[in-house]
């Protein structure tokens, strides 16, 4: 018989509101079926597609690109190279995001080390503090520009 919108929400982790949004935005690979009373009905294939679609969204793929990809899928065989190109472009985008996040993580780890070191030495007041009279001195430099030894 199929799955109700509530069952799909529970199994997919998406809210009912999000599922309706996906439908309105044309983000399902197949049109959402409806029963004679107007209730939406889904199948396992819809759940599989939602799993892919939510990963594409969470990785930053714009809705317009997801729609392009879906349209190509709906057209059927013969456009696999176009689909592949969309996926490759997004793969490159995700790899760039990962590198940027790794750089950000490295900065955060460094700042955590600096704070831990200052707190352990009882010198937390030497960390950057714009209202502290010594803000322009070594404490500022140490937080913004770590010593050569770190």
């Amino acid at each position: 018989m199929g799955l109700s919108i509530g069952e799909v929400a529970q199994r997919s982790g998406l809210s009912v509101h999000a599922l309706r949004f996906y439908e309105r935005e044309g983000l399902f690979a197949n049109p959402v079926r409806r029963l004679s009373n107007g209730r939406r009905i889904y199948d396992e294939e819809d759940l599989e597609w939602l799993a892919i679609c939510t990963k594409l969204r969470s990785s930053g793929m714009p809705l317009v690109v997801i729609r392009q990809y879906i349209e190509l899928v709906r057209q059927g065989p013969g456009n696999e190279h176009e689909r592949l190109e969309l996926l490759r472009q997004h793969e490159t985008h995700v790899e760039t995001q990962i590198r940027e996040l790794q750089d950000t993580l490295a900065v955060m780890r460094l700042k955590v080390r600096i704070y831990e070191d200052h707190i352990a030495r009882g010198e937390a007041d030497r960390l950057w503090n714009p209202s502290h009279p010594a803000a322009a001195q070594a404490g500022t430099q140490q937080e913004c520009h770590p010593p050569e030894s770190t």
Side-chain angles (χ1 to χ4, degrees), residues 81-98:
H81 292 286
E82 291 171 76
R83 291 187 227 170
L84 177 60
E85 185 56 31
L86 286 175
L87 294 171
R88 280 186 176 154
Q89 287 174 8
H90 191 63
E91 177 184 43
T92 300
H93 171 77
V94 170
E95 288 170 342
T96 299
Q97 284 180 305
I98 290 170

Side-chain angles (χ1 to χ4, degrees), residues 5-6 8-9 14-28 32 34 38-40 42 50:
I5 195 168
V8 172
L14 295 169
S15 68
V16 168
H17 176 75
L19 291 169
R20 289 180 182 137
F21 170 80
Y22 274 51
E23 181 182 2
R24 265 193 324 275
E25 293 297 317
L27 300 180
F28 278 93
V32 175
R34 291 186 182 257
R39 290 182 184 228
R40 293 167 178 85
Y42 303 88
L50 281 170

Side-chain angles (χ1 to χ4, degrees), residues 17-65:
H17 176 75
L19 291 169
R20 289 180 182 137
F21 170 80
Y22 274 51
E23 181 182 2
R24 265 193 324 275
E25 293 297 317
L27 300 180
F28 278 93
N30 297 310
V32 175
R33 296 177 298 135
R34 291 186 182 257
L35 297 174
S36 58
N37 63 6
R39 290 182 184 228
R40 293 167 178 85
I41 191 80
Y42 303 88
D43 57 28
E44 292 298 325
E45 191 174 291
D46 293 322
L47 277 171
E48 291 171 19
W49 170 249
L50 281 170
I52 294 167
C53 191
T54 55
K55 290 298 181 194
L56 296 176
R57 284 294 297 140
S58 69
S59 66
M61 183 179 272
L63 290 176
V64 67
V65 177

